[in-house]
Amino acid sequence: MKTAHVVRSLLLLALLQPSHLEARRLRGGRAQPRRTHPQPPPPPPPQPRDGAEVTESFPLDFTAVEGNVDSFMAQVKNLAQSLYPCSAQKLDQDMKLRFLQNASVTCNDGTQAGYYLRESKGSKRWLVFLEGGWYCFSKENCDSRYETMRRLMSSTKWPHSKAGTGILSPQPEENPHWWNANMVFIPYCSSDVWSGASPKTDQSDYAFMGSLIIWEVVKELLTQGLDTAKLLLLAGSSAGGTGVLLNVDRVAEQLRELGHTNIQVRGLSDSGWFLDNQQYRWTDCSDTVSCAPTEAIRRGIRYWNGVVPEHCRRAHEGEEWNCFFGYKVYPTLTSPVFVVQWLFDEAQLTVDNVHLTGQPMQEGQWRYIQNLGNELRSTLKDVPAMFGPACLSHELITRSYWMDVQVKGTSLPRALQCWDRSFHDNGKNKAPPKGCPVHLIDSCPWPHCNPTCPTIRDQYTGQEMNVVQFLMHMGFDVQKMAQQQGMDPGKLLGMLSSGS
């Protein structure tokens, strides 16, 4: 009876105070930390009945009270604490570092690979995130990377814990649909777009074992609760987003081979949908950022002993480098994947040698940027689940402002929730519920024509710019563009200001 009273009290508190949660959803900003005061723990709950059915509802992941009181109470307590900071002591919600038990699977320099984990007892959902951070494809540029970006090639100075933001956040106001999932963050230390299967030897200076790191992490997680999961979402940003496309089917096959056929495997690829288009200005391949993506990957896949999805390998036999480009690998995948891609991706522009230095743009550069948006839009038109804002940016799902960006009035967290709801219990896709869109792409033609795009700042002054200031800063000719569109310049400026 005492336990039931506590449950009713906590749920009543949660229902009576929705405004407290909404007030903290500030556009573009992180929620501020709360002060907490200790309180005696609630009385111990009774043990669950033997043989009780366990059910799970979306998205708070509660289990039936009679079947699993312990788990239910823990999750209600977490919810109540997020709404009422004084109701319980603040819990340590950071992800904790664990090194792989298999010491033969390493970072580039031979140090142990590992992962960060935050468990959520009672949740049947796991989110495994692949970090991004470019790549290297020769001894020379890997040596340079090791000198300047050692954190991405070695685990020597990894911190013991890591806070999660965006979709990795444990706070429901920042992460409304995944906050209570089991969170796993795999640091990127293989420099191979998560594709390599090559150990460090006396003949080779570096190991490239990205695909093997993912394999080992999944294998270890099965001993820590993943074996009872219903869903594993493999997510990643930038090189990690491409890594999702390269590994999601492999993870699904790994779990099937180990007998875990009840775990649905899906992918979430953020800012990893690169194009193998012609560069704006050709340069040689002396460094990673100026080398054309096709040439860099051609060299890299040999250097890393890269592994690509089997269906894609068969489709591009002898030219497996094609499988690193989203629009070529995606049609060969069997696992469901949600694609998040800025239409004017800064990393794509960088490898295409379009550098936004703050100087007015040449007309050719401006046309190239517009064409890039059109090309990306074209490659994404047949992807059923995707989110494509017309913004100049890179990476989204781990940003604290990820809830603020909208396409056609729908935010990314909402679109992901709709995508979740579009699956039957057996993992087969069905039509999303009415009024719950999952294919969202901007149609406006210029960078930052979407008014919810992240804030732009002048590179030199640090001052914020609105979209009109930004376009004019880049050399956008309002008079000429209005003439081409057959409209009044003032009307065009008004449309740009409103994001039309």
Side-chain angles (χ1 to χ4, degrees):
M1 292 300 293
K2 192 175 290 186
T3 300
H5 176 72
V6 173
V7 172
R8 284 197 299 271
S9 300
L10 288 173
L11 288 176
L12 182 60
L13 289 175
L15 292 170
L16 288 176
Q17 293 289 337
S19 60
H20 180 75
L21 186 62
E22 293 295 328
R24 301 185 66 224
R25 292 184 178 175
L26 302 177
R27 172 171 164 73
R30 292 280 313 280
Q32 297 300 312
R34 299 169 173 153
R35 296 179 180 177
T36 62
H37 303 286
Q39 178 176 314
Q47 294 300 310
R49 292 203 313 252
D50 292 337
E53 289 289 326
V54 178
T55 60
E56 183 175 353
S57 61
F58 184 90
L60 292 179
D61 198 22
F62 289 134
T63 49
V65 180
E66 290 187 351
N68 198 338
V69 175
D70 207 4
S71 173
F72 180 81
M73 286 296 295
Q75 293 192 53
V76 172
K77 182 178 177 181
N78 285 342
L79 175 60
Q81 184 181 346
S82 72
L83 298 173
Y84 286 84
C86 296
S87 65
Q89 286 187 320
K90 178 175 172 56
L91 303 176
D92 185 358
Q93 295 177 320
D94 287 351
M95 295 175 280
K96 298 294 188 289
L97 176 62
R98 302 186 183 196
F99 288 106
L100 291 179
Q101 295 172 9
N102 184 350
S104 68
V105 177
T106 70
C107 298
N108 289 131
D109 66 347
T111 54
Q112 275 185 284
Y115 58 99
Y116 291 85
L117 171 65
R118 182 180 70 248
E119 296 178 79
S120 179
K121 299 297 185 184
S123 176
K124 301 293 185 183
R125 301 194 300 162
W126 288 71
L127 194 157
V128 178
F129 181 85
L130 307 179
E131 186 182 23
W134 291 91
Y135 47 78
C136 60
F137 54 81
S138 69
K139 183 183 184 308
E140 292 72 29
N141 59 44
C142 285
D143 285 345
S144 175
R145 180 180 173 91
Y146 194 68
E147 290 302 313
T148 59
M149 306 170 72
R150 191 165 301 184
R151 178 187 68 81
L152 294 174
M153 299 182 76
S154 174
S155 63
T156 305
K157 294 188 177 180
W158 285 354
H160 294 298
S161 62
K162 187 172 186 64
T165 54
I167 200 169
L168 296 174
S169 171
Q171 304 299 332
E173 60 266 44
E174 185 177 342
N175 185 18
H177 308 300
W178 279 91
W179 64 275
N180 69 331
N182 297 278
M183 297 293 186
V184 181
F185 179 100
I186 312 182
Y188 184 40
C189 67
S190 56
S191 308
D192 56 5
V193 200
W194 296 99
S195 71
S198 175
K200 188 172 187 274
T201 66
D202 294 337
Q203 288 75 40
S204 60
D205 296 281
Y206 299 105
F208 299 98
M209 308 185 81
S211 67
L212 300 180
I213 291 171
I214 296 172
W215 183 277
E216 288 296 324
V217 170
V218 170
K219 189 169 77 171
E220 286 195 17
L221 293 177
L222 287 170
T223 67
Q224 299 174 54
L226 178 63
D227 58 318
T228 63
K230 291 184 177 179
L231 173 63
L232 186 157
L233 181 66
L234 184 67
S237 294
S238 193
T242 308
V244 169
L245 298 172
L246 292 173
N247 287 279
V248 64
D249 274 359
R250 195 160 178 264
V251 169
E253 181 62 25
Q254 176 186 5
L255 291 174
R256 282 195 297 270
E257 287 179 356
L258 295 173
H260 300 285
T261 55
N262 292 328
I263 304 175
Q264 298 175 31
V265 177
R266 303 176 200 157
L268 172 58
S269 174
D270 169 28
S271 302
W273 189 276
F274 291 101
L275 300 181
D276 55 346
N277 55 339
Q278 186 173 351
Q279 291 176 295
Y280 173 70
R281 187 181 70 256
W282 183 87
T283 58
D284 61 19
C285 266
S286 58
D287 62 73
T288 303
V289 296
S290 65
C291 185
T294 49
E295 183 58 29
I297 296 302
R298 275 193 183 103
R299 298 184 187 190
I301 197 170
R302 293 192 298 267
Y303 192 49
W304 310 322
N305 188 26
V307 177
V308 300
E310 181 60 21
H311 292 298
C312 190
R313 186 192 67 76
R314 291 177 189 167
H316 299 280
E317 196 159 359
E319 295 188 326
E320 288 83 0
W321 58 268
N322 283 286
C323 299
F324 285 74
F325 297 96
Y327 75 99
K328 292 181 177 179
V329 67
Y330 180 86
T332 72
L333 300 179
T334 58
S335 302
V337 177
F338 191 108
V339 176
V340 179
Q341 187 64 45
W342 303 107
L343 295 185
F344 303 95
D345 188 276
E346 289 177 317
Q348 179 76 56
L349 288 170
T350 297
V351 296
D352 288 343
N353 288 318
V354 177
H355 301 293
L356 306 178
T357 60
Q359 299 299 318
M361 296 190 115
Q362 299 173 3
E363 187 173 349
Q365 287 177 303
W366 179 247
R367 281 201 309 271
Y368 187 93
I369 290 175
Q370 282 189 284
N371 287 337
L372 173 64
N374 290 332
E375 285 183 48
L376 268 167
R377 197 179 284 111
S378 175
T379 64
L380 291 165
K381 69 180 187 299
D382 295 324
V383 177
M386 57 84 52
F387 188 83
C391 306
L392 180 70
S393 194
H394 186 60
E395 302 188 1
L396 178 58
I397 62 175
T398 58
R399 306 299 190 197
S400 58
Y401 55 75
W402 80 304
M403 291 182 63
D404 300 326
V405 180
Q406 296 184 1
V407 175
K408 298 177 181 176
T410 299
S411 69
L412 177 54
R414 171 63 174 162
L416 288 172
Q417 182 194 19
C418 291
W419 187 53
D420 251 356
R421 292 174 61 189
S422 72
F423 290 89
H424 289 290
D425 289 339
N426 62 5
K428 300 297 182 184
N429 205 216
K430 64 177 182 179
K434 189 176 180 181
C436 212
V438 297
H439 180 89
L440 294 156
I441 188 165
D442 275 329
S443 55
C444 58
W446 300 295
H448 266 64
C449 55
N450 179 329
T452 69
C453 287
T455 299
I456 319 167
R457 295 187 180 275
D458 187 293
Q459 284 183 307
Y460 298 104
T461 66
Q463 292 182 326
E464 291 187 12
M465 294 187 288
N466 62 33
V467 65
V468 175
Q469 292 170 327
F470 166 67
L471 292 173
M472 296 181 75
H473 180 74
M474 291 205 308
F476 179 83
D477 189 328
V478 176
Q479 295 283 348
K480 185 174 181 179
M481 186 59 68
Q483 187 178 15
Q484 289 176 356
Q485 300 293 326
M487 65 173 63
D488 178 78
K491 182 179 179 181
L492 176 59
L493 280 174
M495 290 173 65
L496 292 172
S497 298
S498 65
S500 301

